[in-house]
Amino acid sequence: MASLGLLAFGAAVGLLSGVLGIGGGIVLVPGLMMLFNFNQREAQGTSLAVLSLPVAVAAAVIYYRNGYVHVPVMAYVAGGFIFGAFCGANLVPYVPVHVMRPAFGLLLLYVGFVFVLDIRSERPAAALPAAVATALAMLLARVMHRRLRPHALPKPPSTDTEYHI
């Protein structure tokens, strides 16, 4: 049953990736964590393995046939991507999960606000509204998390503690 669920999830992520041109990790990493109980590192590693060459080629060939691939740009970016992914993967064991999760979430928030606010400018300052919106969303999430977090239950009685009524 888990195999069918994973297969259906993979098809949905592939469809979104092919239609929207997203790196499937935007959906794949959170989906593996929320739906299949992967931890952050397992989800990231699995995402990278899934999005390796054979999967990417299938969609890229269709985009290329339609004239949507700039081959020289792809070559330069791929070279940098290979180097960056190698360095990043070597850093993962040293980055605590409590740092990775918020960083990933903030990146998704920022990119989401850039697209929602339709920021397409040559000026770097044009991204400021998305950065401010991201910071405010992060602050709101922190406040809500602290207020909605269940309070710690008192410790159960033990022989070490004396209780008087």
Side-chain angles (χ1 to χ4, degrees):
M1 191 63 168
S3 299
L4 287 176
L6 287 166
L7 188 61
F9 176 66
V13 171
L15 180 70
L16 284 172
S17 184
V19 170
L20 299 177
I22 61 171
I26 289 175
V27 178
L28 191 56
V29 171
L32 288 173
M33 291 172 64
M34 291 186 284
L35 300 174
F36 299 99
N37 296 319
F38 279 51
N39 67 41
Q40 182 87 26
R41 290 183 175 111
E42 291 170 339
Q44 289 175 187
T46 302
S47 173
L48 287 170
V50 166
L51 299 173
S52 63
L53 192 58
V55 173
V57 168
V61 165
I62 295 169
Y63 274 86
Y64 177 77
R65 285 184 190 158
N66 289 303
Y68 299 129
V69 176
H70 298 273
V71 176
V73 172
M74 180 270 311
Y76 285 117
V77 172
F81 193 93
I82 290 167
F83 176 75
F86 176 79
C87 293
N90 280 305
L91 289 174
V92 166
Y94 306 104
V95 180
V97 173
H98 73 274
V99 171
M100 279 196 301
R101 287 191 67 170
F104 184 75
L106 286 173
L107 176 63
L108 293 179
L109 271 174
Y110 176 73
V111 170
F113 282 124
V114 166
F115 274 83
V116 168
L117 298 174
D118 196 21
I119 298 170
R120 288 183 257 168
S121 175
E122 300 286 325
R123 298 176 307 133
L128 186 60
V132 170
T134 302
L136 290 174
M138 180 191 73
L139 184 62
L140 180 64
R142 281 274 186 214
V143 169
M144 295 300 291
H145 177 71
R146 287 191 178 149
R147 288 197 175 169
L148 297 177
R149 187 182 340 168
H151 298 288
L153 296 174
K155 293 181 182 180
S158 69
T159 56
D160 298 335
T161 306
E162 193 173 313
Y163 292 92
H164 301 281
I165 298 180

